[in-house]
Amino acid sequence: MEVGWPTRGGFLLCLAVSLLLQGRGDNFTINCSGFDQHGVDPAAFRPVFDRKAFRPVINYSTPTHVNISFTLSAILEVDVQLQLLTSFLWINLMWDNPFISWNHEECVGITEFTVSAENLWLPDIFIVEAMDVDRPPPGLSAYVSSEGRIRYDRPVRVASICNLDIFYFPFDQQNCTFTFTSFLYTVDSMLLGMDKEVWEITDTSRDVIQTQGEWEFLGINKAAQKLLVGSSIYDQITFYVAIRRRPRLYVINLLVPSSFLVAIDALSFYLPAESENRAPFKITLLLGYNVFLLMMNDLLPARGTPLISVYFALCLSLMVLSLLETIFITYLLHLATTQPPPMPRWLHSLLLHCTSPTKCCPTAPQKRNKNLGLTPAHPPGLKEPVEFVGKVLGPQEAELNRFPGSSRGQQEEKTQQQHLVSLWVQFSHMMDTLLFRLYLLFMATSIITVITLWNT
Ligand SMILES: *[C@@H]1O[C@H](CO)[C@@H](O)[C@H](O)[C@H]1NC(C)=O
Ligand SMILES: *[C@@H]1O[C@H](CO)[C@@H](O)[C@H](O)[C@H]1NC(C)=O
Ligand SMILES: *[C@@H]1O[C@H](CO)[C@@H](O)[C@H](O)[C@H]1NC(C)=O
Ligand SMILES: *[C@@H]1O[C@H](CO)[C@@H](O)[C@H](O)[C@H]1NC(C)=O
């Protein structure tokens, strides 16, 4: 016993010295004999672990090469108001530690194993755009290979700044950047590289991606350039992640109902202008459209003016215009049937010109009735001109009948009056048709413009 103590102490001393010597040896080879019997000897790695506070290089003038890649495993949220893209990344870093190496033939064929990451020097790579990064889960490990190559993967949830352009919403495509750079080390101490091609990153991301929400992952591009801050130059690698919104939800909830309402509004021109239903019908539609807009406001992006807002404003103005048109025509008809003002000569000739059989609105009965002044304009779509004329002239005929003994001059005057009324009514219907066509033209051009803009 008394003899054993110094012996054991001497052995421990020898071991420590030999380990220290190994650590400072030429190749910093780790003695791995016995890894197969007792597992990895912590003492063998002590010299490496003790150096973790320092960048692992032999000559401090040589920079550490760090290879970066990542896998996009989820697109969690795109916040238009804050201009943030929240995503989940698996970041892979690879670098060499020249103090680690072992002969894997001696070590029963072990070429790599994991080491708790807190025992190793880690490069301080961060994402420039990240405004909020989840702490990596504690207790991560890194793979260490027999040549001293260290592979460190960690998952992070990143909320990164992304310049979102929502003009083409809901058919928009966004291009968000992830710029990886070292926080501290300039190009003299750290160089960034990639051991994978971007298409490999894109493919793995596409295979792995868990949730994309309403977004579809399109692809990744990369650019490498140096970042100059003051007099220091930092190495950086920029990845462009392209994502596209899936528009189905918005098409079904926003565009389709809106188009239906506008179509009904256009069709409501076929309600006869004299009927009292047209204006209330249009007002109801307008009201319905406003309610629709209020309800769907939550679906629209909270910031900026997307094209779809312009489209909605356009639809609303079309409805307002058509209501104004109805009011105008109703007023015109009212004026025509109660106190028709004298018709200007040019308007009269224009009417005659327009209703002549060879021109725009040819119908057989018109010619027959022309001499009587009962020339009902027959705007396409207005189906009941004959009944209408009868209705309008009814009171006047009744008036005529009330004074059977009135002189011939008075009767002449009445006929003149009737002629004027029918001319004005005809004019109103012509205006109605004309304005309806203008409305259709305006609607078609504006909708085609919006759709072409969306498609570019
Ligand atoms: C490794 O260590 C063992 C003792 O643990 C020793 O016997 C052996 O000689 C060492 N090998 C080398 C190459 O230093
Ligand atoms: C360290 O590296 C620099 C540049 O690479 C070289 O000039 C210098 O000689 C090296 N020092 C040693 C001790 O090898
Ligand atoms: C980094 O990747 C390049 C290939 O692009 C490779 O030659 C180099 O050995 C890698 N370095 C590390 C530390 O992984
Ligand atoms: C994203 O934007 C960058 C420049 O800001 C450009 O180089 C890159 O090609 C764009 N990527 C896509 C997919 O549009």
Side-chain angles (χ1 to χ4, degrees), residues 42-63:
F45 275 90
R46 178 94 335 131
V48 176
F49 294 168
D50 285 348
R51 287 172 182 268
K52 71 168 182 180
F54 308 100
R55 185 162 66 89
V57 277
I58 293 164
N59 181 348
Y60 251 74
S61 323
T62 53

Side-chain angles (χ1 to χ4, degrees), residues 114-157:
T114 55
V115 172
S116 173
E118 62 196 25
N119 292 308
L120 297 169
W121 175 88
L122 302 174
D124 59 344
I125 303 294
F126 80 114
I127 298 174
V128 176
E129 287 83 13
M131 290 296 110
D132 188 15
V133 180
D134 261 14
R135 290 181 149 275
L140 284 181
S141 295
Y143 264 103
V144 177
S145 80
S146 59
E147 291 102 45
R149 183 149 293 181
I150 296 175
R151 203 174 82 223
Y152 177 57
D153 298 352
R154 72 194 148 106
V156 280
R157 183 178 188 272

Side-chain angles (χ1 to χ4, degrees), residues 106-239:
E106 270 177 32
C107 302
V108 289
I110 300 172
T111 51
E112 65 174 7
F113 52 82
T114 55
V115 172
S116 173
E118 62 196 25
N119 292 308
L120 297 169
W121 175 88
L122 302 174
D124 59 344
I125 303 294
F126 80 114
I127 298 174
V128 176
E129 287 83 13
M131 290 296 110
D132 188 15
V133 180
D134 261 14
R135 290 181 149 275
L140 284 181
S141 295
Y143 264 103
V144 177
S145 80
S146 59
E147 291 102 45
R149 183 149 293 181
I150 296 175
R151 203 174 82 223
Y152 177 57
D153 298 352
R154 72 194 148 106
V156 280
R157 183 178 188 272
V158 189
S160 60
I161 290 269
C162 179
N163 204 356
L164 299 167
D165 177 13
I166 42 95
F167 181 67
Y168 292 111
F169 173 90
F171 304 103
D172 52 339
Q173 189 174 323
Q174 307 295 348
N175 187 358
C176 294
T177 47
F178 292 121
T179 305
F180 290 82
T181 186
S182 165
F183 192 66
L184 189 69
Y185 296 106
T186 58
V187 282
D188 302 330
S189 324
M190 190 179 285
L191 291 175
L192 305 181
M194 283 178 66
D195 50 350
K196 281 192 200 163
E197 297 293 327
V198 268
W199 62 262
E200 287 177 75
I201 298 180
T202 308
D203 282 0
T204 24
S205 297
R206 201 166 277 147
D207 291 344
V208 148
I209 201 153
Q210 299 286 325
T211 168
Q212 312 180 53
E214 60 169 317
W215 295 88
E216 185 188 347
F217 171 69
L218 292 181
I220 299 176
N221 266 332
K222 116 183 156 169
Q225 70 268 54
K226 305 278 187 266
L227 171 72
L228 186 69
V229 179
S231 58
S232 324
I233 303 172
Y234 296 87
D235 205 4
Q236 66 175 22
I237 297 184
T238 307
F239 295 96

Side-chain angles (χ1 to χ4, degrees), residues 181-440:
T181 186
S182 165
F183 192 66
L184 189 69
Y185 296 106
T186 58
V187 282
D188 302 330
S189 324
M190 190 179 285
L191 291 175
L192 305 181
M194 283 178 66
D195 50 350
K196 281 192 200 163
E197 297 293 327
V198 268
W199 62 262
E200 287 177 75
I201 298 180
T202 308
D203 282 0
T204 24
S205 297
R206 201 166 277 147
D207 291 344
V208 148
I209 201 153
Q210 299 286 325
T211 168
Q212 312 180 53
E214 60 169 317
W215 295 88
E216 185 188 347
F217 171 69
L218 292 181
I220 299 176
N221 266 332
K222 116 183 156 169
Q225 70 268 54
K226 305 278 187 266
L227 171 72
L228 186 69
V229 179
S231 58
S232 324
I233 303 172
Y234 296 87
D235 205 4
Q236 66 175 22
I237 297 184
T238 307
F239 295 96
Y240 300 103
V241 177
I243 53 176
R244 182 170 57 205
R245 198 190 294 269
R246 292 180 211 270
R248 199 186 314 152
L249 171 83
Y250 302 97
V251 169
I252 291 174
N253 284 312
L254 294 176
L255 294 183
V256 170
S258 171
S259 317
F260 279 159
L261 285 174
V262 172
I264 294 174
D265 187 58
L267 286 179
S268 70
F269 275 97
Y270 285 93
L271 289 175
E274 314 64 47
S275 91
E276 263 131 43
N277 295 336
R278 210 208 254 194
F281 185 79
K282 293 201 175 204
I283 292 172
T284 317
L285 269 184
L286 198 59
L287 219 69
Y289 196 69
N290 274 313
V291 173
F292 161 77
L293 284 186
L294 274 181
M295 275 167 52
M296 291 304 159
N297 207 17
D298 292 348
L299 280 181
L300 291 179
R303 218 177 93 150
T305 315
L307 200 55
I308 197 169
S309 301
V310 178
Y311 170 76
F312 286 153
L314 212 70
C315 289
L316 196 69
S317 30
L318 277 175
M319 290 184 166
V320 170
L321 279 183
S322 88
L323 184 62
L324 285 180
E325 193 265 1
T326 302
I327 291 171
F328 174 63
I329 295 298
T330 312
Y331 168 74
L332 217 58
L333 277 172
H334 176 75
L335 204 69
T337 49
T338 51
Q339 38 186 337
M343 180 158 278
R345 200 158 193 85
W346 59 270
L347 197 57
H348 191 207
S349 51
L350 189 75
L351 265 178
L352 285 181
H353 174 74
C354 237
T355 50
S356 70
T358 52
K359 293 293 174 187
C360 50
C361 326
T363 40
Q366 271 179 19
K367 201 177 181 185
R368 210 183 52 215
N369 292 344
K370 201 166 184 177
N371 292 336
L372 295 170
L374 301 174
T375 319
H378 199 311
L382 293 171
K383 289 279 149 57
E384 45 174 49
V386 181
E387 292 163 42
F388 165 69
V389 168
K391 196 177 104 193
V392 165
L393 295 184
Q396 277 150 6
E397 275 161 0
E399 210 180 333
L400 274 177
N401 293 342
R402 242 193 292 149
F403 306 99
S406 53
S407 71
R408 200 172 159 71
Q410 266 175 323
Q411 269 197 353
E412 198 92 323
E413 205 176 298
K414 293 286 174 209
T415 323
Q416 285 281 314
Q417 183 85 352
Q418 274 174 21
H419 184 64
L420 197 59
V421 166
S422 73
L423 275 180
W424 274 108
V425 167
Q426 199 181 333
F427 172 69
S428 310
H429 283 166
M430 250 179 56
M431 279 305 279
D432 194 27
T433 315
L434 182 73
L435 289 175
F436 176 50
R437 285 184 183 165
L438 281 180
Y439 172 90
L440 281 185

Side-chain angles (χ1 to χ4, degrees), residues 65 67 94-96 149 194-195:
H65 287 265
N67 278 352
M94 254 210 262
W95 67 96
D96 285 328
R149 183 149 293 181
M194 283 178 66
D195 50 350

